[in-house]
Amino acid sequence: MAALAPSSSSSASTSTSSAAFRRSLLAPPSHLSFPRSRFSLKAVTCQFSDSNRQNAVASPLQLLKTSAADSESANKQHIVLRFTELQLLTVSFCLSGYTKEKSSIICIGLNVHTAPVQMREKLAFPEAQWAHVIQDLCALNHIQEAAVISTCNRMEIYVLALSQHRAVKEVTHWMSKVSAIPMAELREHQMMLYNGDAAQHLFEVASGLDSLVLGEGQILAQVKQVVKSGQGVPGFDKTMSGLFKQAISVGKRVRTETNISSGSVSVSSAAVELVLMKLQVSSFADDAGVLVVGAGKMGKLVIKHLAAKGCKRIVVVNRTEEKVNAIRRELKGDVEIVFRPISEMLACAADAHVIFTGTASESPLFTKENVQVLPVVGHGRSRIFVDISIPRNVEPGVSELDTALVYNVDDLKEVVAANKEDRLQKAAGARGIIHEELKKYEAWNDSLETVPTIKKFRAYVERIRASEMDKCLSKMGPDVSMEHREAIYALSMGIVNKLLHGPMQHLRCDTNNDDSLSEVLENMRALNRMYDLETEISLIEEKIRVKMQRAQK
């Protein structure tokens, strides 16, 4: 008897039930806890015995037929099966979103032009933590390589991403997590650049064109330090290393050919200039009580600029006297430098009219409470604090006191504006150099795309060669001598190498020649199409697979 066709409502009900059944197969049991996104078949199955793993291929129907006596074992097999299916579906679904994507360079961060100091200081990382930050970022699902540059003016993250929008979301979430800044607030102040724009920005940073003080020389040393700190760190690999090394070359060339740094001011010298502007004097009087807290790079530059502006006596508070002695030797007695340990900081502050702070302390050195009890400066003047540290060394509440004036790096724009005109002309020449160097870098970076294609094509041809050689030897029978085998192998390799020579030549180029590069990339795409190599897709699949495996270790 013919079966009756189900009604539409019955069909919908059946469809819903089937969907529910499939979901039930894939849903993890409530009493088990597995990672939501980072898991692998190996990680799941290893939780059960070898015998259970061997039976994990059983179908749902077979599992339902399992006897009651074996119900516990069947339940475990069912769990493994459901997670096996879930993994395959998840991987398939996720990778389907990558088919039109390729790796991208992204710059994400905050700098003096986009975010206030109170936000930047929450994302400031001392140099000693840069390697850890790189490893942290590369642990994210869609980040392959990373680099970070953190200074008083910026905290910028550079990544090589397997997916642009996914990587941006992951990095922004990471920034929010480590800084406790809400995502929405971060997005308001974030700078975000991709590929060529990201590289150009870094080149401008290294050249001093993006600094608060145009032409600042200290930033190039900080970019060099990024490369030094990244050496040997997993995640600071060929792309990031190449990008930052090129930036250093650009910075050197700009400074050599434009003299943009000559006559320019650094953040430290701008801090000294700011004080002179506020005091309405051209140099420091002999009776000016000046205290510098910190004898690191920033503190050293402040001391040198103070000496250049006529300051004859400077009290320097530091943890040790070693760096202070080095500064004394460098200045050769032109100024009296008095060392005091950090324990005497407040006592020294009581005698000072102007206080500069430039330490790496992660908590304020001067709070509203301890500044409030300091004696008033003579002649009714306010005590001036110039804080060029990130995070800030002077608590924001100090500015609420009538006896204190507090300035930070964002307040230096007033000085910078007065010294900017001449450097703007030099900046125009610098941008021409950057444009030239950017073309070279993009050519080098684009040429890296051909490497996976070369490897894939060689492997494809080798599989054919090996297969055909095996067929030939099997037809010749078991009595083929070793000498003949080697001759056949040499013949097959000779044919392959000669056939590969032409394509390989056309997948390499002179990276200084734009026409050559364009031809190489077109050849690469043609080869991918003709032999169905799917280089980019396969490469990304492999990278995602490796990340999933690492997540389980």
Side-chain angles (χ1 to χ4, degrees):
M1 184 175 180
L4 295 174
S7 66
S8 59
S9 59
S10 174
S11 176
S13 176
T14 303
S15 175
T16 304
S17 299
S18 298
F21 178 70
R22 287 195 299 272
R23 284 197 300 272
S24 74
L25 284 178
L26 295 176
S30 58
H31 65 282
L32 289 178
S33 175
F34 290 98
R36 289 193 172 189
S37 59
R38 295 183 184 178
F39 57 85
S40 69
L41 177 60
K42 178 181 177 182
V44 175
T45 57
C46 72
Q47 299 180 51
F48 307 108
S49 66
D50 290 340
S51 60
N52 287 327
R53 284 200 294 270
Q54 290 168 0
N55 293 325
V57 294
S59 68
L61 183 59
Q62 288 172 317
L63 291 175
L64 290 172
K65 291 179 178 178
T66 306
S67 64
D70 296 328
S71 60
E72 184 178 352
S73 175
N75 186 43
K76 291 180 180 180
Q77 292 171 353
H78 196 187
I79 293 169
V80 176
L81 171 67
R82 293 191 318 203
F83 273 91
T84 302
E85 292 176 348
L86 178 59
Q87 186 206 29
L88 293 174
L89 287 173
T90 303
V91 172
S92 175
F93 175 77
C94 290
L95 291 179
S96 66
Y98 295 98
T99 55
K100 295 184 179 179
E101 291 199 62
K102 65 178 183 179
S103 296
S104 303
I105 293 175
I106 309 174
C107 172
I108 308 173
L110 308 173
N111 61 37
V112 69
H113 307 299
T114 68
V117 64
Q118 55 265 33
M119 181 177 284
R120 299 198 310 274
E121 67 185 355
K122 292 179 182 178
L123 274 165
F125 295 100
E127 194 178 296
Q129 292 182 15
W130 289 359
H132 177 71
V133 170
I134 291 172
Q135 293 172 330
D136 237 19
L137 290 167
C138 288
L140 301 175
N141 284 338
H142 298 90
I143 306 301
Q144 186 180 0
E145 295 186 33
V148 60
I149 179 167
S150 182
T151 72
C152 61
N153 285 332
R154 70 188 68 249
M155 198 295 288
E156 294 174 358
I157 292 169
Y158 293 80
V159 298
L160 179 64
L162 297 174
S163 166
Q164 267 190 14
H165 72 279
R166 292 175 177 90
V168 167
K169 185 176 180 180
E170 287 177 352
V171 173
T172 303
H173 182 269
W174 178 86
M175 291 172 68
S176 176
K177 181 181 177 182
V178 299
S179 66
I181 302 173
M183 293 270 282
E185 189 178 348
L186 261 179
R187 290 192 183 102
E188 285 181 26
H189 297 275
Q190 263 182 342
M191 57 157 291
M192 204 171 299
L193 299 166
Y194 302 94
N195 297 315
D197 291 337
Q200 179 175 333
H201 173 73
L202 180 59
F203 293 173
E204 290 176 353
V205 168
S207 302
L209 300 190
D210 192 69
S211 297
L212 175 64
V213 181
L214 191 62
E216 178 193 357
Q218 190 178 1
I219 187 64
L220 180 58
Q222 290 164 332
V223 173
K224 289 179 181 177
Q225 196 57 40
V226 172
V227 175
K228 185 178 179 181
S229 300
Q231 294 301 318
V233 177
F236 189 80
D237 298 322
K238 189 171 186 178
T239 301
M240 284 296 113
S241 176
L243 174 63
F244 274 79
K245 286 178 180 177
Q246 183 73 13
I248 293 168
S249 297
V250 173
K252 288 178 179 177
R253 186 181 166 195
V254 165
R255 280 166 171 75
T256 301
E257 296 183 24
T258 67
N259 289 322
I260 194 170
S261 297
S262 63
S264 67
V265 290
S266 65
V267 169
S268 299
S269 64
V272 174
E273 292 282 354
L274 178 66
V275 172
L276 292 175
M277 288 175 64
K278 299 304 177 184
L279 293 176
Q280 297 183 340
V281 295
S282 59
S283 63
F284 285 89
D286 292 340
D287 63 342
V290 178
L291 169 64
V292 177
V293 181
K297 294 176 183 177
M298 302 291 278
K300 176 182 176 180
L301 287 172
V302 167
I303 294 167
K304 291 174 75 172
H305 288 295
L306 284 169
K309 291 296 181 179
C311 192
K312 298 299 182 184
R313 185 177 188 273
I314 305 169
V315 177
V316 181
V317 168
N318 199 52
R319 295 190 185 281
T320 64
E321 194 172 1
E322 184 180 353
K323 289 184 178 180
V324 178
N325 286 334
I327 297 171
R328 285 193 187 114
R329 289 192 295 271
E330 195 168 333
L331 293 178
K332 299 177 181 177
D334 293 338
V335 58
E336 180 187 359
I337 299 177
V338 181
F339 165 75
R340 291 288 183 268
I342 197 77
S343 58
E344 297 180 21
M345 183 186 71
L346 290 178
C348 295
D351 297 328
H353 178 201
V354 179
I355 301 171
F356 296 89
T357 64
T359 79
S361 174
E362 295 185 8
S363 56
L365 300 178
F366 291 96
T367 64
K368 183 177 180 179
E369 289 72 20
N370 58 36
V371 172
Q372 196 167 19
V373 299
L374 294 177
V376 178
V377 179
H379 308 294
R381 297 177 294 179
S382 296
R383 183 173 278 106
I384 298 175
F385 290 86
V386 185
D387 186 1
I388 55 175
S389 308
I390 298 289
R392 286 173 289 179
N393 289 167
V394 181
E395 192 177 65
V398 175
S399 60
E400 298 171 4
L401 300 174
D402 294 333
T403 57
L405 295 172
V406 181
Y407 302 97
N408 57 52
V409 289
D410 287 0
D411 298 310
L412 302 180
K413 294 173 183 176
E414 186 179 348
V415 177
V416 172
N419 293 276
K420 198 171 183 178
E421 202 60 43
D422 176 56
R423 291 188 302 281
L424 281 175
Q425 296 178 3
K426 295 174 180 176
R431 287 194 170 87
I433 294 171
I434 288 172
H435 180 69
E436 290 177 23
E437 295 290 337
L438 184 61
K439 288 177 69 176
K440 292 180 183 178
Y441 168 75
E442 288 180 334
W444 171 80
N445 192 49
D446 285 343
S447 70
L448 296 180
E449 286 187 42
T450 66
V451 174
T453 297
I454 291 172
K455 290 180 178 178
K456 282 264 182 185
F457 189 49
R458 280 189 175 278
Y460 172 82
V461 174
E462 171 57 24
R463 284 195 299 271
I464 294 174
R465 185 205 65 77
S467 175
E468 293 303 314
M469 181 176 167
D470 287 344
K471 288 178 184 178
C472 174
L473 292 174
S474 65
K475 288 179 181 179
M476 294 175 70
D479 299 327
V480 182
S481 68
M482 184 58 68
E483 184 179 352
H484 285 160
R485 286 176 180 271
E486 290 175 355
I488 294 170
Y489 174 79
L491 173 66
S492 66
M493 288 301 296
I495 293 172
V496 164
N497 289 334
K498 284 181 171 60
L499 288 174
L500 283 177
H501 179 73
M504 294 301 105
Q505 286 294 101
H506 287 85
L507 287 177
R508 297 188 177 92
C509 70
D510 175 6
T511 54
N512 294 322
N513 187 326
D514 289 341
D515 294 334
S516 173
L517 175 64
S518 178
E519 289 176 11
V520 165
L521 294 179
E522 183 54 41
N523 292 336
M524 179 194 75
R525 296 179 187 113
L527 206 60
N528 283 332
R529 288 193 301 271
M530 286 188 292
Y531 292 95
D532 195 26
L533 299 178
E534 296 184 338
T535 304
E536 290 176 0
I537 302 170
S538 299
L539 185 62
I540 291 176
E541 286 178 353
E542 181 59 29
K543 290 171 181 174
I544 292 293
R545 191 174 295 111
V546 168
K547 276 199 169 281
M548 291 177 66
Q549 289 171 351
R550 285 178 182 169
Q552 296 304 315
K553 293 180 179 179

